[in-house]
Amino acid sequence: TKDPQFDGVWRQSLALLAQHTVGVRPATSAVDWLAGQQCADGSFTAFRADPAKACDGKTMRDTNQTGAAVQALAALGGRGEVVQKAVAWLKSVQNDDGGWSSMAGAPSDANSTSVVIGALAAAGEQPASVTSKKGSKTPYDSLLALQLGCDAKEGERGAFAFQPKDGALAPNAYATAAAALGALGKGFVVDPAGKDVTEPVKPLTCEGGGTKQATADPEQAASGADAYLVAQLDKNGQHLLSAMPGAESRPDVGNTADAVIALAAGSHGAAAQQPLKWLEKNSADWAAQHGPAAYAQLVLAAHATGADPRSFGGKDLVTALNDTGPKPAGSAAPSTAPEKDATDNDEGSGVWWFVLVGLAIGAGIGFLLSGLRKKNQL
């Protein structure tokens, strides 16, 4: 669906963040709209048709939408009060295991926990220091408990599950790409490490037997997740497949873009090149169909790998993204200190998002209910 009620805040957040990342100054009206979607308690939902009407008990507050909005507004600067209010709300709904679900009170999942980790880092917090009220668990405690360890099948080790099902963990490529970023404390924007900086992908080591939990080290967990992604990419012709239950298996452009960003975040630049080339050849129709959030994903994938988003498989992704919304205010170099911008400039209001408890959509499986990120208008 292209209905903004489904993913308005999510698509807006990714679009504005992508514009900022490549030096485009978003339209003031677009930023104001996003900031104006915030509820009085600091949370965000997918879409509020009338922001003047207060959020109530029926409003579906969403940690993913809120976390995405935090990442965008922190980067843009000038919305420090909104960002801090949103972070306070996220902390208030942290689960006892240290993680988050898209909806407060539901069991933690890898995607939501990773989005919130990225939001905390963007806002200048130390995610490892954000602990649950009961048990003092960190977000990494929750996240790493969802990784398949050495007791899993050989081809599944290192993958992350979205959530346990009947007490068991099943590999999920979308959750794995998200968790690879979250384990490194990174959000949607990953700066390129440089063409000469590349680390080999290292699978989980299971010599001498294994345990249910893969590792207690976030960096090792991210490396194991990346190794699983590389194996899946190699298996499928350098793209990932849609994992929506009951759907016919098909290439998942959005998930492939996420995998490219995850590999770049782990300094696995060489491993990211082949799926990046696949994206350059196969993403144009998908992006045109799904709009701003899709263009934003591709812009961020190009940025993370040092590719040129203005010449991506013959397409100018930046112009295409700009054309989906209000005319940009101009050009501006990306901030080198988004956390400082967010806290030093207490004006306005805003934040971002994510959505519902579930799995995917469109050409891929999204964060929770996540074709969200692949959708429409700014």
Side-chain angles (χ1 to χ4, degrees):
T1 177
K2 294 184 178 182
D3 187 343
Q5 294 185 63
F6 180 64
D7 71 332
V9 170
W10 181 261
R11 75 173 74 155
Q12 192 85 348
S13 298
L14 289 187
L16 299 183
L17 187 59
Q19 286 182 318
H20 174 77
T21 298
V22 295
V24 173
R25 188 154 50 93
T28 300
S29 61
V31 181
D32 287 345
W33 182 88
L34 177 59
Q37 290 288 303
Q38 188 176 38
C39 294
D41 62 4
S43 66
F44 281 76
T45 186
F47 177 78
R48 296 172 64 197
D50 182 7
K53 182 179 179 181
C55 299
D56 57 22
K58 295 181 180 179
T59 303
M60 296 181 69
R61 294 162 172 80
D62 190 310
T63 65
N64 292 273
Q65 314 245 14
T66 304
V70 166
Q71 291 189 49
L73 293 173
L76 290 168
R79 306 282 175 165
E81 183 177 350
V82 175
V83 169
Q84 295 308 315
K85 197 173 182 180
V87 168
W89 180 79
L90 288 169
K91 290 180 178 180
S92 75
V93 295
Q94 185 178 18
N95 286 335
D96 290 346
D97 67 359
W100 287 266
S101 167
S102 62
M103 297 300 167
S108 300
D109 65 75
N111 297 71
S112 299
T113 300
S114 297
V115 173
V116 176
I117 287 174
L120 293 171
E125 299 276 345
Q126 296 295 325
S129 299
V130 177
T131 57
S132 58
K133 296 182 179 66
K134 294 182 180 180
S136 297
K137 295 289 187 179
T138 75
Y140 296 115
D141 290 326
S142 176
L143 186 62
L144 270 57
L146 294 172
Q147 187 172 32
L148 280 74
C150 294
D151 61 340
K153 296 178 182 177
E154 185 173 352
E156 298 179 350
R157 294 169 186 166
F160 277 78
F162 175 74
Q163 286 175 324
K165 185 175 181 180
D166 299 326
L169 301 178
N172 182 302
Y174 198 89
T176 302
L181 282 179
L184 293 175
K186 295 184 181 293
F188 301 140
V189 176
V190 172
D191 291 330
K195 294 182 179 180
D196 297 329
V197 180
T198 185
E199 298 289 337
V201 179
K202 298 179 181 179
L204 286 180
T205 301
C206 294
E207 297 177 0
T211 60
K212 183 175 182 180
Q213 183 164 325
T215 177
D217 184 299
E219 289 192 10
Q220 290 181 9
S223 182
D226 286 336
Y228 172 80
L229 291 173
V230 168
Q232 294 300 304
L233 289 164
D234 289 344
K235 176 182 176 181
N236 298 315
Q238 296 310 313
H239 63 270
L240 296 176
L241 298 175
S242 172
M244 181 179 287
E248 181 180 350
S249 181
R250 60 182 178 180
D252 187 330
V253 182
N255 198 3
T256 302
D258 292 334
V260 167
I261 296 172
L263 291 172
S267 296
H268 307 306
Q273 289 306 307
Q274 291 188 68
L276 180 70
K277 290 177 180 177
W278 184 90
L279 286 173
E280 290 179 325
K281 294 179 180 179
N282 297 280
S283 62
D285 290 344
W286 171 79
Q289 178 183 359
H290 293 292
Y295 284 122
Q297 277 185 275
L298 296 175
V299 166
L300 295 175
H303 174 77
T305 53
D308 184 359
R310 292 175 173 81
S311 181
F312 191 82
K315 182 74 174 180
D316 184 342
L317 298 175
V318 178
T319 296
L321 173 60
N322 293 344
D323 287 347
T324 64
K327 183 179 179 180
S331 298
S335 172
T336 57
E339 299 92 343
K340 187 174 187 297
D341 287 349
T343 54
D344 284 359
N345 300 298
D346 288 332
E347 325 164 10
S349 64
V351 179
W352 330 20
W353 95 284
F354 192 87
V355 108
L356 303 130
V357 161
L359 280 142
I361 251 193
I365 183 167
F367 261 161
L368 304 162
L369 218 69
S370 63
L372 301 179
R373 38 189 295 165
K374 305 172 183 175
K375 296 253 176 228
N376 297 324
Q377 302 169 345
L378 209 78

